[in-house]
DNA sequence: GTAACGCTGTGAATAACATCACAACAGAGA
DNA sequence: TCTCTGTTGTGATGTTATTCACAGCGTTAC
């Protein structure tokens, strides 16, 4: 399976398609089919884009019936995560947000388990929260190595984010999901995805106002 | 101030610039200056893009000194939120994530206060959490009207998201920040920003794996 | 068998976004 | 005053993402 130069937008949508289809599968036959425009409607996109995305991962459908749901799920699954792959995740910062993430991902996404948490708060050390043990950040190397962790989540205050990032990268983590509102400096081979909730909320506030005041379409 | 057809990416970056500059201002003179490339370094972008963004909102700098920080802050502020504007926010879903959001935005962002929360859990009704009172979703119209709320945050389970959305839109909310992993159907004049943490985490897992296994640049 | 239908797969067109590159310019220094 | 420096502002250009549009095809209906 060749997997060169694929944009992160496409990866995001593939993950979305998979989740939508998974939610659909219980109430459908194994060999149910779906049209590109149906899938598009479910995820808020266009049929053409769905078809192109599936084309880029080399999956093809049938002009009269659409795409076989089960096959497509397998295909996306194989593409996004090679079956034998380790997918353990580490969390840094067991505060309000970190706890919410633990609660959510522990019981909703067993394919991406958060297997270790790190915090500086001595109160948390060695406690188990949502089935996940808290370690000191000094233990990063050891724990990341032991669990063979490749993915990290940064949910510490902005001031601590770069330090925690450096520790994670040193320990061998190559992908980061960052909630802290700072731009992380990492080596070129480390992938960083930022989620900036404050920025998103301000965007919403801006466009909400436009709508109500001027009724003009801003985009 | 004319404000037509501006992309949401630009709005997002302007909000980012503002936050970076605000963090900088305590340790600088009121009349400190900053170059486009300095701001770019702080937010992980390029000087050219910073200049273009500032150009699109009509702010100009000085070829020898750069941009006046204080003036720029004011300019962005005026652009993003007209000074007299109401910016009250409503939260739907006071679960793990909702509570984290309340804790964060209540003390960090007084300019975008969450003034009301909604939940179906009877235990929560009329309780005050992080200074924010919980209402029943039946009271949506009344409360949203009373506080003149325009912005809503959806942090309820996916199955309840569309129902809560409809109530919010009916009550007059015109901008939504949606954390539920579903595509919300809203009238064309309502702005929706989705934050899909699961999708983001899967993206990270995908690219993390690429880096470690094949060392190829995928983007 | 065959005609008609409506979807897929995809090159081409378009749109959105970001970068390049440089003229114009403000200030520093002599 | 004049030159030199390094930045701004911005048209031109490049890049990436999405949509258009339609040939080709599998299926169904008759
Ligand atoms: N909670 C939200 O809704 C929200 C919204 C937007 C952004 N954020 C961002 O997410 C991050 C976390 O937010 P939060 O609300 O959970 O904060 P929080 O203060 O509740 O939790 C932070 C946790 O990080 C720990 N910590 C501090 N320094 C550390 C270090 N060097 N190494 C390891 N752990 C350390 C603290 O002990 C604490 O447990 C922050 O950067 C915040 O800006 C949060
Ligand atoms: N917590 C996370 O880290 C996380 C991560 C990714 C996505 N999400 C999404 O965010 C949303 C909230 O997650 P959570 O972890 O806070 O869930 P949660 O179960 O902890 O909280 C959900 C809250 O919504 C309330 N609720 C249920 N139905 C409601 C309705 N019709 N009207 C109003 N309130 C209602 C519940 O009483 C509960 O308080 C979910 O859609 C989840 O998929 C959360």
């Amino acid at each position: 399976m060749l997997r060169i130069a694929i944009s992160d937008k496409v990866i995001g949508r593939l993950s979305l398609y998979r989740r939508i289809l998974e939610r659909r599968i219980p109430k459908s036959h194994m060999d149910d089919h779906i049209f590109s425009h149906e899938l598009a409607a479910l995820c808020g996109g266009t049929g053409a884009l769905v078809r192109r995305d599936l084309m880029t991962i080399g999956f093809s459908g049938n002009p009269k019936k659409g795409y076989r749901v089960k096959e497509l799920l397998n295909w996306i699954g194989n593409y996004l995560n090679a079956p034998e792959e380790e997918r353990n995740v580490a969390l840094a910062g067991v505060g309000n947000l970190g706890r919410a993430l633990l609660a959510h991902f522990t019981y909703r996404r067993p394919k991406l388990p958060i297997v270790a948490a790190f915090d500086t708060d001595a109160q948390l050390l060695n406690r188990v929260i949502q089935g996940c043990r808290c370690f000191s950040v000094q233990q990063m190397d050891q724990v990341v190595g032991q669990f063979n962790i490749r993915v990290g989540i940064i949910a510490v205050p902005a001031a601590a984010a770069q330090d925690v990032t450096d520790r994670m990268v040193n320990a061998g983590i190559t992908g980061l999901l960052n909630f802290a509102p700072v731009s992380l400096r990492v080596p070129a081979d480390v992938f960083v995805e930022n989620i900036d909730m404050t920025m998103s909320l301000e965007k919403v506030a801006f466009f909400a106002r436009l709508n109500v005041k001027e009724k003009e379409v801003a985009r």
Side-chain angles (χ1 to χ4, degrees), chain A:
Chain A
M1 186 193 312
L2 215 47
R3 203 194 295 115
I4 41 157
I6 190 156
S7 109
D8 76 320
K9 297 247 181 113
V10 176
I11 298 299
R13 284 193 299 265
L14 289 171
S15 149
L16 195 61
Y17 301 156
R18 171 165 67 175
R19 205 162 18 150
I20 288 167
L21 293 172
E22 274 169 356
R23 203 178 297 152
R24 181 196 167 90
I25 225 178
K27 53 182 161 190
S28 78
H29 269 125
M30 277 303 197
D31 47 26
D32 222 4
H33 291 250
I34 190 168
F35 291 122
S36 63
H37 62 84
E38 294 178 301
L39 185 47
L42 289 170
C43 72
T46 69
L49 188 52
V50 169
R51 292 201 300 281
R52 193 161 286 280
D53 287 341
L54 299 192
M55 199 183 87
T56 59
I57 60 168
F59 186 80
S60 40
N62 171 313
K64 202 54 198 279
K65 297 190 167 180
Y67 302 91
R68 283 199 57 186
V69 172
K70 186 151 181 290
E71 249 179 43
L72 176 51
L73 270 172
N74 286 339
W75 197 275
I76 294 177
N78 283 333
Y79 193 86
L80 290 187
N81 29 308
E84 80 295 341
E85 202 72 51
E86 287 282 351
R87 290 158 68 66
N88 289 338
V89 178
L91 169 71
V94 189
N96 292 302
L97 180 59
R99 267 181 252 258
L101 293 168
L102 274 178
H104 185 79
F105 285 105
T106 297
Y107 101 107
R108 282 289 300 252
R109 278 272 135 194
K111 299 297 185 57
L112 284 172
I114 301 179
V115 297
F118 295 91
D119 207 297
T120 43
D121 187 343
Q123 298 263 305
L124 291 168
L125 196 61
N126 290 326
R127 275 189 52 200
V128 175
I129 295 175
Q130 310 284 347
C132 172
R133 175 122 172 260
C134 292
F135 298 92
S136 147
V137 289
Q138 270 84 39
Q139 299 171 270
M140 185 74 74
D141 266 353
Q142 183 213 318
V143 176
V144 167
Q146 184 183 323
F147 287 100
N148 190 26
I149 299 172
R150 294 273 101 90
V151 176
I153 302 176
I154 306 280
V156 300
Q162 186 62 54
D163 174 61
V164 169
T165 298
D166 292 344
R167 288 176 193 270
M168 284 187 155
V169 170
N170 277 338
I173 280 177
T174 53
L176 287 168
L177 180 59
N178 174 39
F179 288 94
V182 291
S183 160
L184 299 177
R185 279 172 296 99
V186 295
D189 61 349
V190 173
F191 181 85
V192 178
E193 169 90 359
N194 295 295
I195 293 185
D196 188 333
M197 300 186 197
T198 303
M199 199 194 77
S200 296
L201 189 59
E202 294 203 327
K203 249 155 79 162
V204 173
F206 178 84
F207 287 106
R209 189 161 52 78
L210 266 193
N211 288 332
V212 79
K213 295 246 302 200
E214 339 190 9
K215 276 292 191 246
E216 80 195 7
V217 181
R219 160 183 168 63

